[in-house]
Amino acid sequence: MTKPDKREEIVCAALELIAEHGFHGAPMAIIAERAGVGAGTIYRYFENKDELISQLYREVEKKMVDDLLVGYPMEKTIRERFLHLGTVLLRYFISHPLDFRYLEQFHNSPYGVEYRRDRILGKNEELDIFRDLFEEGVSSRVMKDLPLVILFALSFGPLLAVARDHILGFITLDDELIARTGEACWDGVKQ
Amino acid sequence: MTKPDKREEIVCAALELIAEHGFHGAPMAIIAERAGVGAGTIYRYFENKDELISQLYREVEKKMVDDLLVGYPMEKTIRERFLHLGTVLLRYFISHPLDFRYLEQFHNSPYGVEYRRDRILGKNEELDIFRDLFEEGVSSRVMKDLPLVILFALSFGPLLAVARDHILGFITLDDELIARTGEACWDGVKQ
DNA sequence: GTAAAAGGAATGAACGTTCATTCCTTTTTG
DNA sequence: CAAAAAGGAATGAACGTTCATTCCTTTTAC
C-alpha cells in the first residue's frame, strides 16, 4: 500500500469541491474534512488559500497540456493539426470534467484574468503550440488574416462552450459530434 | 430634478460593484454606501442579496434583448439576420461593459447554471429570436445540421470571448473587426 | 536490544474579521 | 399626529488562519 500522500489528498479534495461549488463554496474546513486531514495541516503544505488555488491551477493545466502534446502530428497540414488539437482538447475535457470545471472557475475569477493578461500581453517565453499553429496558419494564408486573439476566440470559444454543455448535461457528445464540431470551428478560422 | 429613485440607485451600485469585483467583492454595506443609502434600506426593496442579484439579472437581460430587437430585419435572408444579430450583440456588449461583465458573472455562478438549465431543457414559452433563427437555418439547409446547442456554441462562444477580450483590453474592436468576426462565425455555422 | 529523548508533522479549538441580515431609532410624508 | 420610509448600529453565523498541544517516527544512550 502506497503512503496516502497528504498533499495529494488536499489537492484532490480542493479540486472536487471547487469544481463543484466554486471558490466560495469550498471553505478550508470542508476541504480538510474531505481530505481526511486537520484544518491546520493544509497550512503546512500551502501558505494560504490563494496559494492552494494557484498551485492547483498550475497542476491541472500542466497535466492537460502534457496530454495534448501526445501524438501531435507536427508534420501534417495545418488543418489536420487544428482538428487534432480540437478533438483531443474536447475529449480531454469530457473525460476530466472536474479539471474542466476547475479551469473555468479559475479563468472567470480575478486570478484568471491576471493570468491571461500576463500570457497575452506579457512576453511569453514558453513554447505555445497553439500560438505557433495560428501564426503559421495566418502567414501561409490558410487561415483568415485576423488578430490571434480573435482566431483563439473562434476556436476555443465554441469548444469550451460545447464542453460545458456536455458536462452540465445539456447535450451528449459522441465521436461524430466531436469531429463535426471541430470541423465547424475550422470553417470559422480557415481562409 | 427627477426624484432620485432609491431602488434605481441600489441597482446601479450593485451592477457596478458586482461587474467589477464579483458577487463576493460586493458586500451589501458597500452597495448601500455607493447607492447613498442605509444598509437596511436595501431590504425594503429586495428580500435579500440573492433576490437583488436575480432581479438585477433580469433587468440587464431584458434591456439587452429589447435593444437587440430594434431594427431586426425580419424579412431578410437567414445570413443577413445572423450577421445583424452578431453585430448588434457585439456592439451592445462593447458599449455596455458593466452589463456584459455582470451577465458573465451571473452565468458562471450557480444562479446562472440553474437559469440555463431551465431555458434549455425546460419548456421555454417565451419567443426566442435566436432559437427561431437557428431552427429555420437548419430546416432550410442553410446551416449545418447540428444540434441547436452546438450552433449556439459556434455563434456565441466566439462573440462572448471576443467581447471579453475587448473589455479586458486584450484587443480593440473597430467596425471592421466586428463585421469580420461576425462573418467568421457565420462560416462556422453555415452549411 | 531496549528505553529514553528529540524532532517535527498533525491536529482542532480558538481568534479575529467579514458579511448578510435584523431591529430599533430617526426622519419624512400626507 | 400617525404611518411609512430610511437609517445605521447591533447581531450572529461563517470563514481563513493561528498556535499550543498531541502523536508518531527517528535518533541517541546505555
Side-chain angles (χ1 to χ4, degrees):
Chain A
M1 173 190 135
T2 64
K3 65 172 177 181
D5 183 347
K6 295 211 184 273
R7 187 181 181 285
E8 193 58 24
E9 293 295 329
I10 292 166
V11 156
C12 281
L15 175 66
E16 285 176 31
L17 282 168
I18 294 174
E20 281 166 27
H21 303 115
F23 293 124
H24 301 277
M28 293 297 259
I30 309 286
I31 293 175
E33 187 185 325
R34 177 166 309 198
V37 136
T41 306
I42 297 180
Y43 291 86
R44 296 202 56 78
Y45 294 91
F46 303 95
E47 197 181 323
N48 51 42
K49 192 174 182 179
D50 275 14
E51 196 57 32
L52 166 58
I53 287 170
S54 300
Q55 287 195 33
L56 178 49
Y57 174 79
R58 271 178 244 122
E59 288 183 28
V60 170
E61 193 195 37
K62 178 167 184 357
K63 192 154 61 82
M64 186 188 74
V65 171
D66 287 352
D67 204 275
L68 235 52
L69 293 179
V70 175
Y72 182 61
M74 206 67 97
E75 70 297 336
K76 293 244 183 89
T77 65
I78 291 174
R79 176 174 181 278
E80 277 168 301
R81 274 178 279 161
F82 181 94
L83 292 178
H84 173 90
L85 284 179
T87 307
V88 174
L89 194 64
L90 257 189
R91 275 193 222 289
Y92 187 87
F93 287 148
I94 287 172
S95 51
H96 300 78
L98 290 180
D99 289 24
F100 177 78
R101 299 272 288 146
Y102 187 85
L103 293 176
E104 283 230 302
Q105 299 274 359
F106 189 89
H107 283 133
N108 290 310
S109 73
Y111 308 106
V113 170
E114 209 44 49
Y115 184 83
R116 276 196 80 215
R117 194 178 299 281
D118 288 350
R119 285 197 54 132
I120 293 185
L121 300 181
K123 70 232 163 299
N124 182 5
E125 300 299 342
E126 61 189 310
L127 81 151
D128 188 328
I129 194 174
F130 290 108
R131 181 185 290 262
D132 292 346
L133 178 62
F134 285 105
E135 279 174 351
E136 190 185 333
V138 171
S139 65
S140 63
R141 302 193 184 285
V142 173
M143 289 186 187
K144 294 183 170 79
D145 183 22
L146 286 168
L148 276 199
V149 169
I150 293 189
L151 293 177
F152 269 70
L154 288 166
S155 314
F156 298 119
L159 292 179
L160 297 182
V162 159
R164 191 184 314 125
D165 289 341
H166 175 96
I167 288 170
L168 293 177
F170 297 153
I171 191 180
T172 303
L173 292 177
D174 54 22
D175 283 350
E176 192 216 336
L177 270 184
I178 290 175
R180 295 216 290 147
T181 301
E183 303 265 9
C185 288
W186 173 252
D187 288 344
V189 298
K190 79 155 188 253
Q191 186 62 273
Chain B
M1 175 187 132
T2 65
K3 66 171 175 180
D5 184 347
K6 294 210 185 272
R7 187 181 182 285
E8 192 58 24
E9 293 294 329
I10 293 166
V11 156
C12 281
L15 175 66
E16 285 177 29
L17 282 168
I18 294 174
E20 282 167 25
H21 303 114
F23 293 124
H24 302 278
M28 294 296 258
I30 309 285
I31 293 175
E33 187 185 323
R34 179 168 307 198
V37 138
T41 305
I42 296 180
Y43 291 85
R44 295 201 55 79
Y45 294 91
F46 303 94
E47 198 182 323
N48 52 42
K49 192 175 182 179
D50 275 14
E51 196 57 33
L52 167 58
I53 287 170
S54 301
Q55 287 195 33
L56 178 48
Y57 175 79
R58 271 178 244 121
E59 288 183 29
V60 170
E61 193 193 38
K62 177 165 184 357
K63 193 154 60 83
M64 186 188 73
V65 171
D66 287 351
D67 204 275
L68 235 52
L69 293 179
V70 174
Y72 181 62
M74 207 68 98
E75 70 298 336
K76 293 242 183 91
T77 64
I78 291 176
R79 176 174 181 279
E80 278 168 302
R81 273 179 280 159
F82 181 93
L83 292 178
H84 173 91
L85 284 180
T87 306
V88 174
L89 195 63
L90 258 188
R91 275 192 223 288
Y92 187 87
F93 287 149
I94 287 173
S95 51
H96 301 78
L98 290 179
D99 289 24
F100 177 79
R101 300 273 288 147
Y102 186 86
L103 293 175
E104 283 230 302
Q105 301 273 0
F106 189 89
H107 283 132
N108 291 310
S109 73
Y111 308 106
V113 171
E114 209 43 47
Y115 184 83
R116 276 197 77 215
R117 195 177 301 280
D118 288 350
R119 285 196 56 132
I120 293 185
L121 299 180
K123 71 238 163 295
N124 182 6
E125 302 297 344
E126 59 191 310
L127 81 150
D128 188 328
I129 193 175
F130 291 107
R131 181 184 291 261
D132 293 346
L133 178 62
F134 285 107
E135 278 174 350
E136 191 185 333
V138 171
S139 66
S140 63
R141 301 192 185 285
V142 173
M143 290 185 188
K144 294 183 169 81
D145 183 23
L146 286 166
L148 275 199
V149 170
I150 293 190
L151 293 176
F152 269 69
L154 288 166
S155 315
F156 298 119
L159 292 179
L160 297 183
V162 160
R164 192 184 313 124
D165 289 340
H166 175 96
I167 289 169
L168 293 177
F170 298 153
I171 191 180
T172 303
L173 292 177
D174 53 23
D175 283 351
E176 193 215 334
L177 270 183
I178 291 176
R180 295 216 289 146
T181 301
E183 303 265 10
C185 287
W186 173 251
D187 288 343
V189 298
K190 78 153 188 254
Q191 185 62 275

